Amino acid sequence: MGTAATALPPARGLAATWWWPKAQIGNTHPGATSPLGMVSACAYSGAYPTGYGRYAKNTEGLPEELFGHSQASGFTHFQQSGTGAIRKYYNYLRVTPMLQPLDALGDAWPLHDETAEPGYYAATLGTGIRCETTVGEKVAVHRLTFPEHHNARVVVDLSCGGLAIDQGRTVPLRAHVESTGDAAHGTVVVEGVPLSFHIELAEPGWRQMLWYDRRLIEGGTRLDFDRIRQTTLRPFGLLFHGPARTGRPVELRIGFSLRGPAQARDNLHRESGGFDAVRASTAERWRDHLGRVTVEGGTPARRRVFATALYHSLVKPCFADDESPFWPSSGPFAFDICTMWDIYKTQLPLLAAIVPGRAADLLEFLIRVCEEEGNLPIGYRMARGADRFFRQASALAHTALADAQALGLGDLDWNWALVHMEADLHRLYGEDFYEHGVVHPISHTLDLAYAHHCTASVARALNDGKLAYDLAARAHLWTNAFDPATGLLRDSSFYEGGKWNYSFRLLHDMAGRIAMASGDAAYVAMLDAFFGYGASPVTQPGKRPDPAEMAIGYALNRFEGLNNEPDMEAPWSYHYAGRPDRTAEIVHAALTWQFGTGPGGLPGNDDSGGLSSWYVWASLGLFPVAGQNLFLLNAPAFERAVIAVGEREFVVETSGHRPSPIGSDDPEADPPPRYVRSARFNGKALDVAHLRATDVHAGGRLHLELGPEPSAWGRKVRPPSLSDPHGTGART
């Protein structure tokens, strides 16, 4: 799901009015992964996305096919998951099983009989070779079954990297390879990172050789490249060859490390007891992680999409404990945080709920990055260099840190964390915000005001009253971002969106925000226009959309569905204006019409699991308000759900849930929206449409009575806001 261009049933009703400007492809891959593990492995076509696809790179509309069928020139390691055009596509150490001479390396063969499941991927190349891959946390194992042949080959191309598209290739800077008989090891420096490996293939009668520029090096045991340039790069690597017997596979085992070949060898020997053992161990890890959220009811299609969404939510970030190539100490190291802008609203709260230990590790890592490199990053990849995502947003890690402190997550040194949180507020755009109280792009004003609010809450919890007071004063400066005459953000430049898309985010002072828009009725009217109530259906951009067509679409000032990040939280904005029924209608339309079960089943980039995490939360009837220790409540898509929150269980159960026809995968078979009529939490009546995150994480039972018509539930008392902490009453 998400590996092909978006292909969903034509939307009906409200969803038909939403217009999607960004790339219409999920950008996921079906390769072998381990939950939040360091390594992945997948068939490599060289095309977009991730190196598995068959498309040219695109940023708008539908992607163009480069070839009409799935194909591969081998199997590579380290892939992105769901990200767009980030110019960092990995695909290192290409493994190619061959019957042809080495000159044919790089040729692509059709893929047949593809099979994918968590931790495992297999396909048959057009040459008749059956190729299976599995991964552990730091290892990959390839099981290759050749036709009968006197001289079969397994070629490892150590110079491969990136995609075979314009500006997509990664060229290594330095490399060292050494052959030691049955094993080989070495290091390839890519984008400033020393990626080390240890490779073993133990098969009677097989030999190992090095090669350079597609020519074997007889008797050679070392390859050293002190400096490689794009203009001088020639392919290089190693090769195993020997007799193949029908039905008898050979196994190539690879350990990886960012701290040298010796640690790569240790990683391999610690994890790898052979293909079946690694596959079984990773499958068990996936069962454990995916089993932390279970649902009952709903259509088979909904359950399939939900399970896949939960899977995609747990592929990234990549954790590589004790593997930092940039600082020598042990502890958590992570990469593929691509990017906080994509994941801070949805995925990070999901990790905090179901894998709290890993969430705490991630925050410890981010603080370490701030200490070592000078800023809390907006994105972090397996690459050395400045944070190139800073234009997207500012100071987003502060939201996750504030939530973690409120939840008591992990054993972070919070005084140490607060020092870095406060210092980070003065970097990049933060300098202008500190001096002038406003900064452009104007969305950064909202980011920084929010980050001051989050940091103030941590300072307050640590009894640093003066710091909390100073930070809270600047948290009020969110008002500088808005034009009181329109109730929208001021004119500015915007990263992948416009002022309408950014104007309905969930601020820390939604009561003040709604008052600025002239009260509940006026604010709801603005939201209704944004979400297309009463509007005519629109046509989505196709391939190579014309600039004039795109301009007409942008002029709609319309919700971009789940195709774009800035307005993913906007449906819940209605809660603060006393209209949770509107939230129910929009979320139901999105769940029904913007996701499907096929390869084209995502409306846009999954963005490292940010989109999939949205689906998970929305289906559960919960939405985390990042940084505010808060969940908003809505009608769930399933009759019952159980979330393993740490060592506890949070149960969402319903009455009045209208079942769909059993066995139907047709979105039109889904029932119309259901609305919450009343709620009980741990047996007590709950007349508000929100819960504290600390209550959710403590475990409990939320019972929602659903009905076919909107009710008065959740309308009187609103979620807390900075200027109205108790949500007291309506605003007109």
Side-chain angles (χ1 to χ4, degrees):
M1 192 182 303
T3 61
T6 298
L8 299 168
R12 294 186 178 183
L14 197 60
T17 71
W18 303 338
W19 184 76
W20 319 340
K22 287 181 66 177
Q24 296 173 35
I25 185 169
N27 285 357
T28 59
H29 69 83
T33 65
S34 178
L36 305 173
M38 173 178 167
V39 180
S40 60
C42 191
Y44 180 72
S45 68
Y48 190 78
T50 75
Y52 165 81
R54 58 180 189 270
Y55 301 99
K57 184 175 71 174
N58 76 311
T59 57
E60 296 177 332
L62 289 166
E64 291 189 272
E65 286 190 345
L66 295 178
F67 29 88
H69 58 269
S70 295
Q71 62 182 48
S73 62
F75 299 83
T76 52
H77 306 87
F78 302 95
Q79 284 84 17
Q80 296 292 351
S81 180
T83 54
I86 63 168
R87 301 178 193 162
K88 182 64 177 173
Y89 303 104
Y90 305 149
N91 289 290
Y92 302 139
L93 278 81
R94 178 174 59 185
V95 172
T96 304
M98 299 175 64
L99 302 175
Q100 297 85 352
L102 194 55
D103 284 338
L105 183 67
D107 289 355
W109 300 281
L111 290 172
H112 304 291
D113 303 322
E114 287 183 277
T115 301
E117 59 189 54
Y120 173 83
Y121 171 84
T124 301
L125 294 177
T127 54
I129 304 169
R130 184 63 176 173
C131 308
E132 300 171 273
T133 63
T134 190
V135 299
E137 293 183 278
K138 298 182 181 181
V139 306
V141 186
H142 299 262
R143 184 162 65 188
L144 308 166
T145 306
F146 293 86
E148 189 86 14
H149 199 273
H150 70 283
N151 192 23
R153 302 164 182 226
V154 180
V155 183
V156 181
D157 183 351
L158 300 170
S159 63
C160 185
L163 305 185
I165 61 173
D166 290 342
Q167 307 301 315
R169 191 179 187 188
T170 299
V171 176
L173 176 64
R174 291 182 292 278
H176 162 74
V177 190
E178 186 170 355
S179 173
T180 59
D182 289 339
H185 62 259
T187 300
V188 180
V189 178
V190 282
E191 303 225 21
V193 176
L195 178 61
S196 297
F197 56 88
H198 179 88
I199 303 177
E200 296 180 357
L201 187 151
E203 183 68 17
W206 282 57
R207 294 180 57 205
Q208 179 190 142
M209 302 179 72
L210 299 177
W211 58 272
Y212 173 72
D213 199 13
R214 294 184 175 83
R215 294 294 179 266
L216 294 173
I217 303 174
E218 293 287 347
T221 60
R222 292 172 62 99
L223 283 174
D224 288 286
F225 302 95
D226 294 332
R227 185 171 181 83
I228 302 171
R229 296 184 177 179
Q230 190 162 355
T231 54
T232 61
L233 175 67
R234 299 292 182 272
F236 61 90
L238 56 133
L239 174 149
F240 300 86
H241 67 104
R245 302 287 182 262
T246 302
R248 177 176 173 175
V250 297
E251 287 190 9
L252 184 77
R253 305 174 185 178
I254 311 173
F256 292 97
S257 176
L258 305 181
R259 285 188 171 174
Q263 188 155 318
R265 179 199 60 217
D266 293 344
N267 290 340
L268 177 62
H269 292 168
R270 181 174 55 253
E271 281 199 75
S272 179
F275 188 94
D276 289 333
V278 172
R279 180 182 179 184
S281 176
T282 301
E284 180 56 35
R285 283 197 299 274
W286 272 118
R287 277 190 291 272
D288 171 59
H289 283 68
L290 295 173
R292 297 180 190 184
V293 185
T294 59
V295 297
E296 300 173 15
T299 65
R302 281 276 174 97
R303 291 194 297 274
R304 190 176 302 121
V305 175
F306 181 86
T308 306
L310 184 59
Y311 166 79
H312 283 148
S313 299
L314 294 167
V315 171
K316 303 289 183 178
C318 293
F319 283 89
D321 295 332
D322 305 328
E323 292 285 356
S324 170
F326 308 130
W327 55 79
S329 58
S330 60
F333 180 76
F335 56 90
D336 283 358
I337 305 167
C338 294
T339 60
M340 294 292 289
W341 189 64
D342 301 308
I343 66 176
Y344 83 100
K345 303 172 187 176
T346 56
Q347 188 188 26
L348 295 190
L350 184 63
L351 298 183
I354 64 176
V355 282
R358 270 312 190 199
D361 289 343
L362 180 62
L363 297 179
E364 182 180 338
F365 161 74
L366 291 173
I367 294 168
R368 186 60 186 267
V369 171
C370 190
E371 183 180 53
E372 295 278 347
E373 301 183 14
N375 67 289
L376 284 166
I378 299 299
Y380 203 89
R381 302 165 298 165
M382 188 169 60
R384 181 187 291 275
D387 181 0
R388 67 173 296 267
F389 300 106
F390 72 93
R391 293 182 182 84
Q392 289 183 328
S394 293
L396 298 184
H398 296 65
T399 63
L401 286 161
D403 279 338
Q405 196 283 324
L407 294 167
L409 195 66
D411 56 356
L412 294 175
D413 182 336
W414 282 107
N415 290 298
W416 175 53
L418 180 60
V419 167
H420 290 295
M421 291 175 72
E422 194 273 334
D424 190 69
L425 295 173
H426 299 273
R427 298 186 177 112
L428 299 174
Y429 293 104
E431 291 185 51
D432 282 347
F433 182 79
Y434 186 81
E435 292 185 13
H436 307 296
V438 66
V439 64
H440 290 268
I442 202 69
S443 59
H444 290 259
T445 299
L446 298 182
D447 294 337
L448 288 160
Y450 199 24
H452 277 76
H453 172 76
C454 293
T455 308
S457 70
V458 175
R460 199 173 296 114
L462 298 179
N463 297 314
D464 191 335
K466 183 181 184 305
L467 179 60
Y469 178 84
D470 292 343
L471 293 168
R474 286 189 170 79
H476 286 276
L477 297 178
W478 66 268
T479 57
N480 292 343
F482 285 90
D483 180 356
T486 64
L488 298 170
L489 288 173
R490 296 185 184 278
D491 290 337
S492 183
S493 59
F494 293 90
Y495 190 93
E496 294 185 0
K499 66 181 179 182
W500 280 80
N501 305 106
Y502 281 89
S503 284
F504 301 112
R505 64 189 293 182
L506 302 182
L507 304 179
H508 49 294
D509 190 5
M510 288 300 294
R513 163 76 184 95
I514 292 172
M516 180 179 286
S518 301
D520 288 345
Y523 188 67
V524 168
M526 293 169 64
L527 283 172
D528 285 353
F530 178 62
F531 284 106
Y533 279 91
S536 300
V538 299
T539 301
Q540 305 303 334
K543 296 178 182 178
R544 291 191 179 183
D546 182 87
E549 174 190 357
M550 298 300 293
I552 292 171
Y554 282 117
L556 293 170
N557 298 320
R558 192 67 50 76
F559 180 54
E560 295 176 357
L562 281 304
N563 174 259
N564 202 2
E565 292 81 0
D567 48 16
M568 286 174 64
E569 62 196 314
W572 280 267
S573 192
Y574 279 108
H575 272 56
Y576 293 86
R579 293 299 304 272
D581 56 307
R582 283 290 205 239
T583 299
E585 292 162 2
I586 294 159
V587 171
H588 175 83
L591 292 175
T592 301
W593 298 108
Q594 295 232 282
F595 296 86
T597 56
L602 293 180
N605 296 174
D606 194 47
D607 287 312
S608 288
L611 172 59
S612 286
S613 297
W614 184 98
Y615 188 94
V616 170
W617 284 124
S619 297
L620 297 174
L622 302 169
F623 190 79
V625 185
Q628 294 192 47
N629 184 27
L630 186 67
F631 275 91
L632 304 180
L633 309 182
N634 183 43
F638 296 102
E639 187 174 353
R640 188 175 188 271
V642 179
I643 310 163
V645 187
E647 300 299 319
R648 306 176 181 91
E649 286 189 348
F650 186 81
V651 180
V652 181
E653 58 186 15
T654 66
S655 56
H657 193 282
R658 184 174 172 180
S660 299
I662 295 175
S664 173
D665 284 354
D666 182 356
E668 296 180 31
D670 280 316
R674 306 296 280 178
Y675 303 89
V676 179
R677 296 178 58 83
S678 66
R680 300 183 72 83
F681 180 58
N682 289 338
K684 296 182 180 179
L686 182 70
D687 60 355
V688 298
H690 60 271
L691 284 172
R692 293 185 305 169
T694 46
D695 291 332
V696 173
H697 280 247
R701 187 175 301 271
L702 175 66
H703 184 95
L704 301 172
E705 181 190 354
L706 307 181
E709 301 292 337
S711 71
W713 177 82
R715 294 197 176 201
K716 183 178 180 181
V717 180
R718 314 298 169 76
S721 290
L722 184 63
S723 59
D724 186 12
H726 302 294
T728 54
R731 288 156 297 272
T732 57

